[in-house]
Amino acid sequence: MPGEPFNAEPPRSALISSYVTPVDFFYKRSHGPIPILDNIDRYCVSISGLIEKPKDIYMTDIWKLPKYNVTATLQCAGNRRTAMSKTRTVKGVGWDVSAIGNAVWGGAKLADVLELIDIHNCTSSTPLGGKHVEFVSVDKCKEENGGPYKASIPLSQASNPEADVLLAYEMNGEPLNRDHGYPLRVIVPGVIGARSVKWLDFINIIAEECQGFFMQKDYKMFPPSVDWDNIDWSTRRPQMDFPVQCAICSLEDVDVVKPGKITIKGYAASGGGRGIERVDVSIDGGKTWVEASRYQKAIIPYIADHASSDKWAWVLFEAKADISQSTEIVAKAVRHSCIFFLISYHPIAEQVDTAANVQPENVGVIWNLRGILNTSWHRVHVRVGHSNM
């Protein structure tokens, strides 16, 4: 209906067609009606707060700064929520496995923009006590009682050039379109998509993290014992990093294949700029495993955390298998430098760090009432037979 948030994801098979996700196949997430901002000459972002010299930044100012292209995967915190809801009902958009995409974002580094207001690289606090950078959107949403969508990141991250936080005006070499934040959006690589605010309006330098709805009363990770009757939002910090994730995209949840060789393809991704050390695939429900090949760019070998690899981007994987009978196919990824969490067939549910970096065998141990961070082993069921197609 008109005025409702527009949310959409592509067929999962579209995600493995290319390393860089075409704009038309990049998932769309909004929290209110998509704003129209056509007067590019008058458009500006106001920077204020705990700084000595507030400033309005126009697009001409941003275009004058060095342009960077950063290949980064964005993923909604609710990706794979539908599968989690099969365990117990959760609240949120019913995403399948495609609320994720990988794009080349072009724009100015936020660290360079902050230099314009005398906040220098790798600053953790301003003289007036600013420790966080809040991004405020033109987008208005009901959760903020008709106010703007907003989120924040630490100043130390925002002002660090190595963190690659962008004020982006391009996506895959073209100007942003309306769905993806035209004319200017924030890209915060390595964290949940909710922090990459679109349709940027204001930047506030603040003492504490953003107090908006989506920072304080949403997108937080709670244990399965918490429900809507006993939830205390203040007991959890806002979710930032995304834990290791993996999904099969060449097969549907229930699929029919002909007997013989099949190719299993999908994506694996991890937050915080951490690489993917390994992707394992099982064709017998997790009893035995084979290692899948991993790749980003066709002519350059992918090596986790190597300078030749895009550290903020997903990894595509491929494995071949001989299927002779109906079975369950499973995929799981191993994050670089955290292998001990993920190689066990029976992970301990209590081993959850601040980035929720556990990929459990089953979804039940990470069920949460908002249905976020479903990073359980991805499972599809195949039946050997003859398709009706």
Side-chain angles (χ1 to χ4, degrees):
M1 292 180 64
E4 289 190 342
F6 178 61
N7 300 298
E9 64 180 309
R12 63 178 69 177
S13 59
L15 295 183
I16 52 174
S17 63
S18 62
Y19 171 59
V20 174
T21 308
V23 174
D24 288 345
F25 289 134
F26 205 98
Y27 80 100
K28 298 172 177 64
R29 177 68 170 115
S30 58
H31 295 85
I34 296 173
I36 300 174
L37 300 169
D38 286 335
N39 195 336
I40 195 70
D41 293 329
R42 297 186 61 183
Y43 172 83
C44 71
V45 175
S46 297
I47 307 180
S48 60
L50 297 174
I51 55 176
E52 294 179 353
K53 296 179 181 180
K55 186 176 179 64
D56 289 341
I57 305 290
Y58 289 83
M59 287 303 297
T60 51
D61 300 315
I62 294 172
W63 289 332
K64 289 176 183 176
L65 294 171
K67 178 188 174 185
Y68 292 87
N69 288 314
V70 175
T71 304
T73 298
L74 291 190
Q75 180 174 199
C76 181
N79 193 28
R80 299 180 61 198
R81 180 179 282 128
T82 297
M84 186 175 281
S85 69
K86 293 177 181 178
T87 298
R88 283 163 57 193
T89 301
V90 298
K91 180 181 178 182
V93 178
W95 298 114
D96 188 38
V97 303
S98 301
I100 187 172
N102 188 52
V104 180
W105 307 97
K109 286 196 177 183
L110 181 56
D112 290 343
V113 175
L114 294 176
E115 287 271 9
L116 298 178
I117 56 169
D118 295 327
I119 295 178
H120 302 298
N121 287 355
C122 301
T123 297
S124 58
S125 178
T126 68
L128 297 179
K131 295 182 180 180
H132 296 263
V133 179
E134 179 182 62
F135 310 113
V136 182
S137 177
V138 176
D139 181 21
K140 303 297 192 295
C141 47
K142 64 180 182 179
E143 291 88 351
E144 295 286 3
N145 297 316
Y149 183 92
K150 51 191 174 182
S152 69
I153 63 174
L155 178 60
S156 57
Q157 179 182 12
S159 64
N160 182 358
E162 297 301 313
D164 289 332
V165 181
L166 294 183
L167 296 192
Y169 45 82
E170 286 184 1
M171 180 179 183
N172 294 349
E174 300 292 336
L176 291 171
N177 66 22
R178 282 182 57 204
D179 286 335
H180 295 293
Y182 176 86
L184 193 68
R185 69 170 299 169
V186 184
I187 294 295
V188 188
V191 308
I192 64 172
R195 313 309 178 207
S196 289
V197 175
K198 295 185 283 188
W199 311 294
L200 189 59
D201 198 6
F202 298 99
I203 295 176
N204 298 321
I205 311 301
I206 55 180
E208 304 292 337
E209 63 194 13
C210 171
Q211 295 301 300
F213 180 90
F214 295 98
M215 289 287 289
Q216 300 304 325
K217 293 189 176 181
D218 202 356
Y219 298 127
K220 292 184 177 183
M221 186 69 170
F222 287 88
S225 58
V226 173
D227 58 33
W228 293 107
D229 294 325
N230 62 15
I231 190 170
D232 182 353
W233 291 101
S234 66
T235 61
R236 293 293 186 277
R237 299 194 65 180
Q239 187 66 38
M240 299 301 284
D241 274 16
F242 210 105
V244 65
Q245 177 69 285
C246 181
I248 297 167
C249 295
S250 56
L251 296 163
E252 298 299 319
D253 287 343
V254 180
D255 217 328
V256 176
V257 301
K258 295 180 180 179
K261 292 283 186 182
I262 68 167
T263 301
I264 302 159
K265 296 183 178 182
Y267 65 77
S270 186
R274 297 175 291 264
I276 298 296
E277 185 71 20
R278 199 173 75 241
V279 177
D280 294 336
V281 173
S282 170
I283 62 168
D284 55 12
K287 295 176 184 177
T288 61
W289 300 85
V290 296
E291 183 175 352
S293 62
R294 295 162 295 130
Y295 58 96
Q296 286 183 333
K297 302 157 191 170
I299 60 173
I300 302 176
Y302 173 79
I303 303 172
D305 293 355
H306 191 270
S308 64
S309 301
D310 293 326
K311 67 178 180 177
W312 305 116
W314 66 12
V315 174
L316 301 180
F317 69 84
E318 180 176 323
K320 296 185 183 299
D322 196 356
I323 303 296
S324 60
Q325 61 185 11
S326 300
T327 188
E328 180 183 61
I329 299 177
V330 188
K332 62 185 177 74
V334 176
R335 190 201 80 175
H336 186 62
S337 77
C338 197
I339 299 174
F340 70 94
F341 273 135
L342 303 171
I343 60 174
S344 169
Y345 291 168
H346 302 284
I348 300 173
E350 289 75 18
Q351 287 183 325
V352 179
D353 68 5
T354 56
N357 266 309
V358 169
Q359 189 169 21
E361 181 176 348
N362 295 301
V363 70
V365 297
I366 54 168
W367 182 95
N368 59 92
L369 75 176
R370 276 292 281 116
I372 66 169
L373 308 188
N374 180 7
T375 56
S376 59
W377 297 358
H378 189 225
R379 304 167 184 269
V380 298
H381 298 269
V382 296
R383 180 169 61 85
V384 172
H386 296 282
S387 172
N388 293 326
M389 297 297 291

